[in-house]
Amino acid sequence: MKDSGRRLLWLFALALVALPPAYCSTGVKDDTPNDLASANTNGPIVKGKESEVAEILASPPACFPELISAVPFSIYGVDKHGNHVIFLEGRSINWEVVSSKKSHDLVDYVKYLALFFWVNVDKRANSALTVVVDTNGFTLRKVLNGSVKAVLDALVSGLESTVQYVGERPGHVFLLNSPAYLSPLISLLSGLVHPKVQLVSVSSRKKWEVLLQDHVGASFLPVEYGGLKAKTLMDSPFVKSIDQEVRRILESKTAVKL
């Protein structure tokens, strides 16, 4: 590679790292046990944290309805081990809405969605979670303007912020179809997840199909992701139910104020 090419690559990597970091406070004190899952003996929530979680769920972020449409996670179903699999497709993200939000709005959205999921959908104390992010749609322009970093930061930071409430659950985050220019950002994010979460980036469809089939199971994957299941990602009823419930909560809070 010519010197000018090397300089350009380094400048690009530095630009990614220099982008403003997302709000990433978990609120976990230094004396919190490393393995919070061991203390999680009262359903999906760490013992003693139930009332705090109830308060959080009773006050959804005001921008939640907008973001659940703009950053549409699909809770597709369970894998061969009985753990849930969630998809996020880059081409389905409304990047204009994302760029209009502050980082803490995105983190709060993911945090709320995750807690709602653990309390109302999965409900198990020590279950794992797999998140599949299809990076098609993560264009270089969106990387350079910070939109992609904002979404990935929100995903990692939002999930990490729930550790104090649900414990350090094992999980996988698969980044599919990852272009080379995402590598510096992925390296940065990999240092933010806790040790029980594996962040895997795969660019080749042939390779990620094998990975997903092995990890999730072909009969539990949608056809568009190398599986045998006819149900599409958008057919999942979970997210629609969550959206409806959150809207009901927000409307009731507005009515009380009036």
Side-chain angles (χ1 to χ4, degrees), residues 16 19-23 67 71 73 88 93 95 97-110 138 142-158 182 185 188-189:
L16 285 175
L19 289 170
Y23 172 77
L67 284 175
V71 188
F73 290 95
L88 175 63
I93 294 175
W95 295 101
V97 171
V98 168
S99 62
S100 71
K101 299 301 178 186
K102 295 182 178 179
S103 59
H104 69 81
D105 291 327
L106 297 168
V107 173
D108 288 346
Y109 159 64
V110 174
F138 287 18
K142 293 182 178 69
V143 171
L144 291 175
N145 70 18
S147 298
V148 169
K149 184 175 186 293
V151 168
L152 293 180
D153 265 351
L155 174 61
V156 172
S157 301
L182 275 184
L185 180 55
L188 180 66
L189 292 173

mmCIF file of all heavy atoms in Angstrom, residues 16 19-23 67 71 73 88 93 95 97-110 138 142-158 182 185 188-189:
data_model
loop_
_atom_site.group_PDB
_atom_site.id
_atom_site.type_symbol
_atom_site.label_atom_id
_atom_site.label_comp_id
_atom_site.label_asym_id
_atom_site.label_seq_id
_atom_site.Cartn_x
_atom_site.Cartn_y
_atom_site.Cartn_z
ATOM 1 N N LEU A 16 -13.099 7.627 13.186
ATOM 2 C CA LEU A 16 -14.120 6.787 13.809
ATOM 3 C C LEU A 16 -14.000 6.822 15.322
ATOM 4 O O LEU A 16 -14.984 6.964 16.044
ATOM 5 C CB LEU A 16 -13.982 5.337 13.319
ATOM 6 C CG LEU A 16 -14.459 5.045 11.904
ATOM 7 C CD1 LEU A 16 -14.133 3.599 11.551
ATOM 8 C CD2 LEU A 16 -15.942 5.295 11.764
ATOM 9 N N LEU A 19 -15.204 10.040 17.018
ATOM 10 C CA LEU A 19 -16.614 10.397 17.020
ATOM 11 C C LEU A 19 -17.136 10.400 18.447
ATOM 12 O O LEU A 19 -16.713 9.599 19.275
ATOM 13 C CB LEU A 19 -17.416 9.388 16.185
ATOM 14 C CG LEU A 19 -17.191 9.470 14.677
ATOM 15 C CD1 LEU A 19 -17.852 8.277 13.998
ATOM 16 C CD2 LEU A 19 -17.749 10.761 14.120
ATOM 17 N N PRO A 20 -18.072 11.286 18.783
ATOM 18 C CA PRO A 20 -18.554 11.373 20.162
ATOM 19 C C PRO A 20 -19.108 10.049 20.638
ATOM 20 O O PRO A 20 -19.939 9.444 19.975
ATOM 21 C CB PRO A 20 -19.685 12.428 20.064
ATOM 22 C CG PRO A 20 -19.376 13.206 18.843
ATOM 23 C CD PRO A 20 -18.714 12.251 17.895
ATOM 24 N N PRO A 21 -18.649 9.534 21.790
ATOM 25 C CA PRO A 21 -19.141 8.257 22.306
ATOM 26 C C PRO A 21 -20.560 8.381 22.810
ATOM 27 O O PRO A 21 -20.982 9.434 23.271
ATOM 28 C CB PRO A 21 -18.175 7.956 23.470
ATOM 29 C CG PRO A 21 -17.714 9.304 23.921
ATOM 30 C CD PRO A 21 -17.646 10.153 22.680
ATOM 31 N N ALA A 22 -21.301 7.277 22.723
ATOM 32 C CA ALA A 22 -22.663 7.277 23.236
ATOM 33 C C ALA A 22 -22.641 7.258 24.749
ATOM 34 O O ALA A 22 -21.679 6.831 25.375
ATOM 35 C CB ALA A 22 -23.419 6.052 22.712
ATOM 36 N N TYR A 23 -23.716 7.739 25.341
ATOM 37 C CA TYR A 23 -23.886 7.656 26.784
ATOM 38 C C TYR A 23 -23.804 6.195 27.187
ATOM 39 O O TYR A 23 -24.521 5.362 26.685
ATOM 40 C CB TYR A 23 -25.255 8.230 27.143
ATOM 41 C CG TYR A 23 -25.656 8.048 28.579
ATOM 42 C CD1 TYR A 23 -25.121 8.861 29.567
ATOM 43 C CD2 TYR A 23 -26.572 7.071 28.931
ATOM 44 C CE1 TYR A 23 -25.505 8.701 30.885
ATOM 45 C CE2 TYR A 23 -26.950 6.908 30.250
ATOM 46 C CZ TYR A 23 -26.417 7.729 31.216
ATOM 47 O OH TYR A 23 -26.793 7.562 32.513
ATOM 48 N N LEU A 67 -38.637 5.746 17.610
ATOM 49 C CA LEU A 67 -37.423 4.961 17.397
ATOM 50 C C LEU A 67 -37.710 3.489 17.125
ATOM 51 O O LEU A 67 -36.938 2.828 16.428
ATOM 52 C CB LEU A 67 -36.488 5.104 18.600
ATOM 53 C CG LEU A 67 -35.740 6.434 18.675
ATOM 54 C CD1 LEU A 67 -34.931 6.541 19.964
ATOM 55 C CD2 LEU A 67 -34.828 6.606 17.467
ATOM 56 N N VAL A 71 -35.604 2.361 14.141
ATOM 57 C CA VAL A 71 -34.579 1.329 14.372
ATOM 58 C C VAL A 71 -35.328 0.051 14.736
ATOM 59 O O VAL A 71 -35.430 -0.333 15.901
ATOM 60 C CB VAL A 71 -33.603 1.738 15.493
ATOM 61 C CG1 VAL A 71 -32.439 0.750 15.585
ATOM 62 C CG2 VAL A 71 -33.069 3.148 15.263
ATOM 63 N N PHE A 73 -35.984 -3.348 15.519
ATOM 64 C CA PHE A 73 -35.538 -4.682 15.907
ATOM 65 C C PHE A 73 -36.683 -5.672 15.688
ATOM 66 O O PHE A 73 -37.844 -5.355 15.932
ATOM 67 C CB PHE A 73 -35.131 -4.711 17.379
ATOM 68 C CG PHE A 73 -33.866 -3.962 17.679
ATOM 69 C CD1 PHE A 73 -33.908 -2.645 18.108
ATOM 70 C CD2 PHE A 73 -32.633 -4.574 17.530
ATOM 71 C CE1 PHE A 73 -32.745 -1.946 18.386
ATOM 72 C CE2 PHE A 73 -31.460 -3.886 17.805
ATOM 73 C CZ PHE A 73 -31.511 -2.572 18.237
ATOM 74 N N LEU A 88 -31.712 -7.029 13.335
ATOM 75 C CA LEU A 88 -31.774 -5.615 12.966
ATOM 76 C C LEU A 88 -31.130 -5.481 11.593
ATOM 77 O O LEU A 88 -29.965 -5.821 11.407
ATOM 78 C CB LEU A 88 -31.029 -4.734 13.976
ATOM 79 C CG LEU A 88 -30.929 -3.245 13.605
ATOM 80 C CD1 LEU A 88 -32.312 -2.609 13.540
ATOM 81 C CD2 LEU A 88 -30.042 -2.497 14.594
ATOM 82 N N ILE A 93 -33.368 0.746 8.633
ATOM 83 C CA ILE A 93 -33.204 1.847 9.585
ATOM 84 C C ILE A 93 -33.505 3.182 8.907
ATOM 85 O O ILE A 93 -33.082 3.430 7.776
ATOM 86 C CB ILE A 93 -31.773 1.858 10.154
ATOM 87 C CG1 ILE A 93 -31.532 0.600 10.998
ATOM 88 C CG2 ILE A 93 -31.529 3.110 10.996
ATOM 89 C CD1 ILE A 93 -30.101 0.463 11.494
ATOM 90 N N TRP A 95 -32.353 6.446 8.783
ATOM 91 C CA TRP A 95 -31.130 7.128 9.203
ATOM 92 C C TRP A 95 -31.355 8.611 9.471
ATOM 93 O O TRP A 95 -30.628 9.224 10.258
ATOM 94 C CB TRP A 95 -30.040 6.922 8.151
ATOM 95 C CG TRP A 95 -29.632 5.487 8.046
ATOM 96 C CD1 TRP A 95 -30.019 4.587 7.100
ATOM 97 C CD2 TRP A 95 -28.786 4.770 8.953
ATOM 98 N NE1 TRP A 95 -29.465 3.356 7.351
ATOM 99 C CE2 TRP A 95 -28.704 3.440 8.476
ATOM 100 C CE3 TRP A 95 -28.092 5.123 10.111
ATOM 101 C CZ2 TRP A 95 -27.952 2.464 9.126
ATOM 102 C CZ3 TRP A 95 -27.339 4.152 10.755
ATOM 103 C CH2 TRP A 95 -27.276 2.846 10.261
ATOM 104 N N VAL A 97 -33.963 9.874 11.001
ATOM 105 C CA VAL A 97 -34.421 9.951 12.390
ATOM 106 C C VAL A 97 -33.250 9.709 13.340
ATOM 107 O O VAL A 97 -33.091 10.414 14.345
ATOM 108 C CB VAL A 97 -35.547 8.928 12.651
ATOM 109 C CG1 VAL A 97 -35.879 8.857 14.143
ATOM 110 C CG2 VAL A 97 -36.789 9.289 11.855
ATOM 111 N N VAL A 98 -32.431 8.710 13.026
ATOM 112 C CA VAL A 98 -31.274 8.401 13.874
ATOM 113 C C VAL A 98 -30.372 9.619 14.029
ATOM 114 O O VAL A 98 -29.947 9.966 15.138
ATOM 115 C CB VAL A 98 -30.471 7.217 13.288
ATOM 116 C CG1 VAL A 98 -29.119 7.078 13.992
ATOM 117 C CG2 VAL A 98 -31.261 5.925 13.417
ATOM 118 N N SER A 99 -30.087 10.282 12.924
ATOM 119 C CA SER A 99 -29.173 11.428 12.970
ATOM 120 C C SER A 99 -29.768 12.616 13.715
ATOM 121 O O SER A 99 -29.038 13.511 14.150
ATOM 122 C CB SER A 99 -28.782 11.850 11.547
ATOM 123 O OG SER A 99 -29.922 12.269 10.815
ATOM 124 N N SER A 100 -31.095 12.614 13.884
ATOM 125 C CA SER A 100 -31.740 13.727 14.583
ATOM 126 C C SER A 100 -31.779 13.521 16.097
ATOM 127 O O SER A 100 -32.150 14.439 16.837
ATOM 128 C CB SER A 100 -33.170 13.918 14.063
ATOM 129 O OG SER A 100 -34.020 12.860 14.500
ATOM 130 N N LYS A 101 -31.410 12.326 16.553
ATOM 131 C CA LYS A 101 -31.490 12.011 17.979
ATOM 132 C C LYS A 101 -30.127 12.126 18.656
ATOM 133 O O LYS A 101 -29.086 11.935 18.036
ATOM 134 C CB LYS A 101 -32.026 10.587 18.180
ATOM 135 C CG LYS A 101 -33.418 10.360 17.621
ATOM 136 C CD LYS A 101 -34.433 11.286 18.246
ATOM 137 C CE LYS A 101 -35.814 11.076 17.652
ATOM 138 N NZ LYS A 101 -36.790 12.074 18.156
ATOM 139 N N LYS A 102 -30.168 12.418 19.938
ATOM 140 C CA LYS A 102 -28.946 12.422 20.729
ATOM 141 C C LYS A 102 -28.604 10.985 21.109
ATOM 142 O O LYS A 102 -29.472 10.114 21.133
ATOM 143 C CB LYS A 102 -29.127 13.280 21.978
ATOM 144 C CG LYS A 102 -29.332 14.759 21.665
ATOM 145 C CD LYS A 102 -29.470 15.581 22.932
ATOM 146 C CE LYS A 102 -29.636 17.059 22.599
ATOM 147 N NZ LYS A 102 -29.799 17.890 23.815
ATOM 148 N N SER A 103 -27.340 10.757 21.418
ATOM 149 C CA SER A 103 -26.893 9.391 21.698
ATOM 150 C C SER A 103 -27.644 8.776 22.872
ATOM 151 O O SER A 103 -27.987 7.592 22.854
ATOM 152 C CB SER A 103 -25.385 9.370 21.959
ATOM 153 O OG SER A 103 -25.050 10.206 23.048
ATOM 154 N N HIS A 104 -27.938 9.584 23.906
ATOM 155 C CA HIS A 104 -28.619 9.006 25.069
ATOM 156 C C HIS A 104 -30.059 8.615 24.740
ATOM 157 O O HIS A 104 -30.622 7.709 25.373
ATOM 158 C CB HIS A 104 -28.561 9.957 26.269
ATOM 159 C CG HIS A 104 -29.379 11.207 26.122
ATOM 160 N ND1 HIS A 104 -30.735 11.240 26.341
ATOM 161 C CD2 HIS A 104 -29.023 12.464 25.779
ATOM 162 C CE1 HIS A 104 -31.183 12.465 26.145
ATOM 163 N NE2 HIS A 104 -30.171 13.224 25.795
ATOM 164 N N ASP A 105 -30.672 9.262 23.738
ATOM 165 C CA ASP A 105 -32.016 8.856 23.311
ATOM 166 C C ASP A 105 -31.984 7.440 22.740
ATOM 167 O O ASP A 105 -32.857 6.612 23.038
ATOM 168 C CB ASP A 105 -32.552 9.813 22.244
ATOM 169 C CG ASP A 105 -32.854 11.195 22.788
ATOM 170 O OD1 ASP A 105 -33.251 11.291 23.962
ATOM 171 O OD2 ASP A 105 -32.690 12.174 22.035
ATOM 172 N N LEU A 106 -30.978 7.171 21.916
ATOM 173 C CA LEU A 106 -30.844 5.851 21.301
ATOM 174 C C LEU A 106 -30.522 4.790 22.348
ATOM 175 O O LEU A 106 -31.064 3.681 22.318
ATOM 176 C CB LEU A 106 -29.758 5.887 20.228
ATOM 177 C CG LEU A 106 -30.035 6.813 19.032
ATOM 178 C CD1 LEU A 106 -28.775 6.989 18.194
ATOM 179 C CD2 LEU A 106 -31.163 6.266 18.174
ATOM 180 N N VAL A 107 -29.640 5.126 23.282
ATOM 181 C CA VAL A 107 -29.283 4.178 24.341
ATOM 182 C C VAL A 107 -30.494 3.884 25.226
ATOM 183 O O VAL A 107 -30.768 2.727 25.569
ATOM 184 C CB VAL A 107 -28.114 4.721 25.193
ATOM 185 C CG1 VAL A 107 -27.852 3.809 26.391
ATOM 186 C CG2 VAL A 107 -26.856 4.838 24.355
ATOM 187 N N ASP A 108 -31.226 4.927 25.598
ATOM 188 C CA ASP A 108 -32.410 4.737 26.440
ATOM 189 C C ASP A 108 -33.462 3.882 25.741
ATOM 190 O O ASP A 108 -34.162 3.087 26.379
ATOM 191 C CB ASP A 108 -33.018 6.090 26.818
ATOM 192 C CG ASP A 108 -32.169 6.852 27.826
ATOM 193 O OD1 ASP A 108 -31.268 6.236 28.426
ATOM 194 O OD2 ASP A 108 -32.406 8.065 28.004
ATOM 195 N N TYR A 109 -33.577 4.047 24.434
ATOM 196 C CA TYR A 109 -34.513 3.236 23.649
ATOM 197 C C TYR A 109 -34.137 1.758 23.724
ATOM 198 O O TYR A 109 -34.983 0.895 24.013
ATOM 199 C CB TYR A 109 -34.523 3.724 22.200
ATOM 200 C CG TYR A 109 -35.020 2.715 21.193
ATOM 201 C CD1 TYR A 109 -36.335 2.244 21.234
ATOM 202 C CD2 TYR A 109 -34.175 2.220 20.199
ATOM 203 C CE1 TYR A 109 -36.788 1.311 20.311
ATOM 204 C CE2 TYR A 109 -34.621 1.298 19.274
ATOM 205 C CZ TYR A 109 -35.926 0.843 19.331
ATOM 206 O OH TYR A 109 -36.366 -0.088 18.421
ATOM 207 N N VAL A 110 -32.869 1.450 23.482
ATOM 208 C CA VAL A 110 -32.414 0.054 23.519
ATOM 209 C C VAL A 110 -32.537 -0.503 24.939
ATOM 210 O O VAL A 110 -32.973 -1.644 25.135
ATOM 211 C CB VAL A 110 -30.964 -0.062 23.013
ATOM 212 C CG1 VAL A 110 -30.443 -1.485 23.204
ATOM 213 C CG2 VAL A 110 -30.883 0.333 21.543
ATOM 214 N N PHE A 138 -25.248 0.107 5.903
ATOM 215 C CA PHE A 138 -24.254 0.862 6.664
ATOM 216 C C PHE A 138 -23.231 1.426 5.670
ATOM 217 O O PHE A 138 -22.117 0.948 5.563
ATOM 218 C CB PHE A 138 -23.546 -0.033 7.678
ATOM 219 C CG PHE A 138 -24.373 -0.417 8.874
ATOM 220 C CD1 PHE A 138 -25.749 -0.306 8.867
ATOM 221 C CD2 PHE A 138 -23.768 -0.906 10.015
ATOM 222 C CE1 PHE A 138 -26.509 -0.672 9.967
ATOM 223 C CE2 PHE A 138 -24.515 -1.273 11.125
ATOM 224 C CZ PHE A 138 -25.894 -1.151 11.100
ATOM 225 N N LYS A 142 -22.634 7.071 5.945
ATOM 226 C CA LYS A 142 -23.290 6.992 7.254
ATOM 227 C C LYS A 142 -22.285 6.670 8.359
ATOM 228 O O LYS A 142 -22.491 7.021 9.518
ATOM 229 C CB LYS A 142 -24.408 5.949 7.214
ATOM 230 C CG LYS A 142 -25.577 6.340 6.313
ATOM 231 C CD LYS A 142 -26.673 5.297 6.345
ATOM 232 C CE LYS A 142 -27.858 5.712 5.474
ATOM 233 N NZ LYS A 142 -27.528 5.699 4.046
ATOM 234 N N VAL A 143 -21.218 5.976 7.988
ATOM 235 C CA VAL A 143 -20.148 5.734 8.958
ATOM 236 C C VAL A 143 -19.438 7.043 9.279
ATOM 237 O O VAL A 143 -19.209 7.395 10.440
ATOM 238 C CB VAL A 143 -19.138 4.699 8.418
ATOM 239 C CG1 VAL A 143 -17.918 4.618 9.333
ATOM 240 C CG2 VAL A 143 -19.790 3.325 8.314
ATOM 241 N N LEU A 144 -19.103 7.788 8.245
ATOM 242 C CA LEU A 144 -18.347 9.023 8.435
ATOM 243 C C LEU A 144 -19.156 10.102 9.147
ATOM 244 O O LEU A 144 -18.593 10.919 9.881
ATOM 245 C CB LEU A 144 -17.850 9.544 7.082
ATOM 246 C CG LEU A 144 -16.764 8.698 6.407
ATOM 247 C CD1 LEU A 144 -16.438 9.254 5.025
ATOM 248 C CD2 LEU A 144 -15.509 8.642 7.267
ATOM 249 N N ASN A 145 -20.484 10.124 8.935
ATOM 250 C CA ASN A 145 -21.267 11.164 9.621
ATOM 251 C C ASN A 145 -21.694 10.749 11.031
ATOM 252 O O ASN A 145 -22.380 11.494 11.725
ATOM 253 C CB ASN A 145 -22.485 11.590 8.780
ATOM 254 C CG ASN A 145 -23.570 10.522 8.688
ATOM 255 O OD1 ASN A 145 -23.622 9.580 9.476
ATOM 256 N ND2 ASN A 145 -24.447 10.674 7.707
ATOM 257 N N GLY A 146 -21.283 9.559 11.450
ATOM 258 C CA GLY A 146 -21.517 9.139 12.831
ATOM 259 C C GLY A 146 -22.795 8.365 13.071
ATOM 260 O O GLY A 146 -23.026 7.873 14.178
ATOM 261 N N SER A 147 -23.647 8.214 12.047
ATOM 262 C CA SER A 147 -24.936 7.550 12.248
ATOM 263 C C SER A 147 -24.778 6.068 12.586
ATOM 264 O O SER A 147 -25.464 5.540 13.468
ATOM 265 C CB SER A 147 -25.804 7.698 10.995
ATOM 266 O OG SER A 147 -26.088 9.050 10.733
ATOM 267 N N VAL A 148 -23.879 5.390 11.878
ATOM 268 C CA VAL A 148 -23.665 3.961 12.130
ATOM 269 C C VAL A 148 -23.096 3.754 13.527
ATOM 270 O O VAL A 148 -23.531 2.868 14.273
ATOM 271 C CB VAL A 148 -22.733 3.351 11.065
ATOM 272 C CG1 VAL A 148 -22.287 1.952 11.481
ATOM 273 C CG2 VAL A 148 -23.444 3.287 9.721
ATOM 274 N N LYS A 149 -22.130 4.573 13.887
ATOM 275 C CA LYS A 149 -21.542 4.455 15.225
ATOM 276 C C LYS A 149 -22.604 4.688 16.296
ATOM 277 O O LYS A 149 -22.618 4.015 17.335
ATOM 278 C CB LYS A 149 -20.399 5.445 15.405
ATOM 279 C CG LYS A 149 -19.678 5.309 16.760
ATOM 280 C CD LYS A 149 -18.472 6.224 16.833
ATOM 281 C CE LYS A 149 -17.684 5.964 18.112
ATOM 282 N NZ LYS A 149 -18.432 6.351 19.322
ATOM 283 N N ALA A 150 -23.500 5.643 16.054
ATOM 284 C CA ALA A 150 -24.553 5.932 17.023
ATOM 285 C C ALA A 150 -25.445 4.715 17.249
ATOM 286 O O ALA A 150 -25.804 4.391 18.388
ATOM 287 C CB ALA A 150 -25.385 7.121 16.547
ATOM 288 N N VAL A 151 -25.800 4.016 16.158
ATOM 289 C CA VAL A 151 -26.666 2.837 16.274
ATOM 290 C C VAL A 151 -25.940 1.694 16.985
ATOM 291 O O VAL A 151 -26.489 1.067 17.904
ATOM 292 C CB VAL A 151 -27.156 2.383 14.884
ATOM 293 C CG1 VAL A 151 -27.815 1.003 14.963
ATOM 294 C CG2 VAL A 151 -28.139 3.393 14.316
ATOM 295 N N LEU A 152 -24.710 1.409 16.570
ATOM 296 C CA LEU A 152 -23.967 0.307 17.187
ATOM 297 C C LEU A 152 -23.608 0.622 18.633
ATOM 298 O O LEU A 152 -23.650 -0.257 19.501
ATOM 299 C CB LEU A 152 -22.713 0.002 16.370
ATOM 300 C CG LEU A 152 -22.962 -0.562 14.967
ATOM 301 C CD1 LEU A 152 -21.639 -0.827 14.250
ATOM 302 C CD2 LEU A 152 -23.792 -1.848 15.024
ATOM 303 N N ASP A 153 -23.255 1.868 18.911
ATOM 304 C CA ASP A 153 -23.004 2.281 20.293
ATOM 305 C C ASP A 153 -24.250 2.076 21.152
ATOM 306 O O ASP A 153 -24.175 1.599 22.285
ATOM 307 C CB ASP A 153 -22.615 3.765 20.347
ATOM 308 C CG ASP A 153 -21.106 3.967 20.349
ATOM 309 O OD1 ASP A 153 -20.377 2.971 20.488
ATOM 310 O OD2 ASP A 153 -20.662 5.117 20.209
ATOM 311 N N ALA A 154 -25.398 2.475 20.599
ATOM 312 C CA ALA A 154 -26.649 2.346 21.345
ATOM 313 C C ALA A 154 -26.958 0.886 21.634
ATOM 314 O O ALA A 154 -27.415 0.538 22.733
ATOM 315 C CB ALA A 154 -27.794 2.984 20.561
ATOM 316 N N LEU A 155 -26.710 0.020 20.653
ATOM 317 C CA LEU A 155 -26.950 -1.409 20.843
ATOM 318 C C LEU A 155 -26.079 -1.958 21.968
ATOM 319 O O LEU A 155 -26.574 -2.605 22.903
ATOM 320 C CB LEU A 155 -26.672 -2.161 19.540
ATOM 321 C CG LEU A 155 -26.750 -3.690 19.607
ATOM 322 C CD1 LEU A 155 -28.139 -4.139 20.019
ATOM 323 C CD2 LEU A 155 -26.367 -4.301 18.264
ATOM 324 N N VAL A 156 -24.780 -1.684 21.894
ATOM 325 C CA VAL A 156 -23.852 -2.204 22.898
ATOM 326 C C VAL A 156 -24.086 -1.544 24.258
ATOM 327 O O VAL A 156 -24.223 -2.216 25.283
ATOM 328 C CB VAL A 156 -22.392 -1.991 22.442
ATOM 329 C CG1 VAL A 156 -21.420 -2.357 23.559
ATOM 330 C CG2 VAL A 156 -22.096 -2.830 21.204
ATOM 331 N N SER A 157 -24.158 -0.218 24.274
ATOM 332 C CA SER A 157 -24.300 0.507 25.535
ATOM 333 C C SER A 157 -25.664 0.272 26.173
ATOM 334 O O SER A 157 -25.777 0.164 27.399
ATOM 335 C CB SER A 157 -24.087 2.009 25.308
ATOM 336 O OG SER A 157 -22.815 2.263 24.763
ATOM 337 N N GLY A 158 -26.705 0.200 25.333
ATOM 338 C CA GLY A 158 -28.042 -0.044 25.865
ATOM 339 C C GLY A 158 -28.146 -1.398 26.534
ATOM 340 O O GLY A 158 -28.712 -1.532 27.629
ATOM 341 N N LEU A 182 -15.742 -0.871 8.193
ATOM 342 C CA LEU A 182 -16.327 -0.955 9.534
ATOM 343 C C LEU A 182 -15.353 -1.533 10.561
ATOM 344 O O LEU A 182 -15.608 -1.459 11.764
ATOM 345 C CB LEU A 182 -17.585 -1.827 9.512
ATOM 346 C CG LEU A 182 -18.917 -1.180 9.131
ATOM 347 C CD1 LEU A 182 -20.042 -2.195 9.257
ATOM 348 C CD2 LEU A 182 -19.210 0.041 9.987
ATOM 349 N N LEU A 185 -14.272 0.503 13.690
ATOM 350 C CA LEU A 185 -15.392 0.721 14.600
ATOM 351 C C LEU A 185 -15.742 -0.558 15.352
ATOM 352 O O LEU A 185 -16.007 -0.534 16.562
ATOM 353 C CB LEU A 185 -16.605 1.220 13.810
ATOM 354 C CG LEU A 185 -17.888 1.501 14.601
ATOM 355 C CD1 LEU A 185 -17.620 2.467 15.742
ATOM 356 C CD2 LEU A 185 -18.962 2.048 13.677
ATOM 357 N N LEU A 188 -13.320 -1.165 18.086
ATOM 358 C CA LEU A 188 -13.593 -0.275 19.211
ATOM 359 C C LEU A 188 -14.740 -0.811 20.060
ATOM 360 O O LEU A 188 -14.662 -0.863 21.291
ATOM 361 C CB LEU A 188 -13.930 1.123 18.680
ATOM 362 C CG LEU A 188 -14.253 2.207 19.712
ATOM 363 C CD1 LEU A 188 -13.022 2.509 20.552
ATOM 364 C CD2 LEU A 188 -14.742 3.470 19.015
ATOM 365 N N LEU A 189 -15.814 -1.252 19.409
ATOM 366 C CA LEU A 189 -16.990 -1.734 20.131
ATOM 367 C C LEU A 189 -16.728 -3.049 20.855
ATOM 368 O O LEU A 189 -17.302 -3.309 21.911
ATOM 369 C CB LEU A 189 -18.163 -1.907 19.161
ATOM 370 C CG LEU A 189 -18.733 -0.626 18.559
ATOM 371 C CD1 LEU A 189 -19.776 -0.964 17.498
ATOM 372 C CD2 LEU A 189 -19.345 0.257 19.637
#
